[in-house]
Amino acid sequence: MTDWTPETSEEILLTAASEAKSGDRKLVLKIAIAILLGLGLSAWGYASSGSLFSFAILIFAGLWCLITAINTPAGQNVGRAIAITNSTVHFNNRDDVLLEDISGVGGTNTSIILKRKFDKKKPLLITDVPNASDVRDLLKKLKHDQRPDYERP
């Protein structure tokens, strides 16, 4: 766990930290599998047709490998710590997110997904968080408590 505390006057309800490591075996294995599958697809395309189709498969395989390497979240979450207050999710290595800007909270196992309302960015994914279920439950409770009384069931 990272020894980080946000500079806020609000009470911190819960803290969490990602245990993702750079150069993680899972990350290296995922990229290696993507590259092998891409090369396999291009070899299959060339062997089966020897035409423009094989070239298109080769381009697709290369793009797929690149996208897989870029979108792997482990490198983005290295050293990420979060602290939750009644109004904000504070991060040690990115801008804070107001709870009113979050439209939904999701995730499974040790991951947390924060869906944001107003910006067109992709959802914020935080992986390898040991207490992820507690974080998700607290954020869902805080989001529910923010709703006006007439919207609550």
Side-chain angles (χ1 to χ4, degrees):
M1 193 78 120
T2 307
D3 294 333
W4 168 79
T5 306
E7 296 176 9
T8 180
S9 59
E10 291 184 83
E11 176 188 0
I12 297 173
L13 303 174
L14 184 66
T15 60
S18 175
E19 294 181 349
K21 302 175 192 81
S22 59
D24 192 6
R25 282 183 162 202
K26 290 179 184 177
L27 173 63
V28 172
L29 184 63
K30 185 177 179 181
I31 293 171
I33 288 172
I35 291 171
L36 288 175
L37 284 173
L39 290 174
L41 281 172
S42 62
W44 173 77
Y46 181 73
S48 65
S49 68
S51 66
L52 197 55
F53 176 71
S54 64
F55 184 70
I57 295 251
L58 178 63
I59 297 295
F60 171 74
L63 287 174
W64 185 51
C65 294
L66 182 66
I67 290 169
T68 301
I70 289 171
N71 286 333
T72 303
Q76 299 166 2
N77 289 315
V78 172
R80 177 167 287 172
I82 61 174
I84 301 170
T85 63
N86 280 320
S87 63
T88 310
V89 180
H90 299 275
F91 295 92
N92 67 333
N93 60 357
R94 73 176 309 273
D95 294 336
D96 298 339
V97 176
L98 296 173
L99 284 177
E100 62 190 33
D101 292 341
I102 298 173
S103 64
V105 179
T108 58
N109 297 334
T110 61
S111 68
I112 303 165
I113 299 173
L114 300 179
K115 298 171 188 161
R116 297 173 283 187
K117 288 181 188 176
F118 301 113
D119 56 1
K120 299 298 180 188
K121 298 177 185 174
K122 65 182 180 179
L124 177 61
L125 173 64
I126 309 164
T127 59
D128 297 327
V129 179
N131 59 341
S133 63
D134 296 337
V135 173
R136 287 191 303 267
D137 291 343
L138 177 63
L139 288 171
K140 287 176 184 176
K141 180 186 176 308
L142 290 172
K143 285 299 297 172
H144 183 269
D145 291 347
Q146 280 186 346
R147 293 169 41 191
D149 289 337
Y150 62 85
E151 287 184 2
R152 294 184 191 170

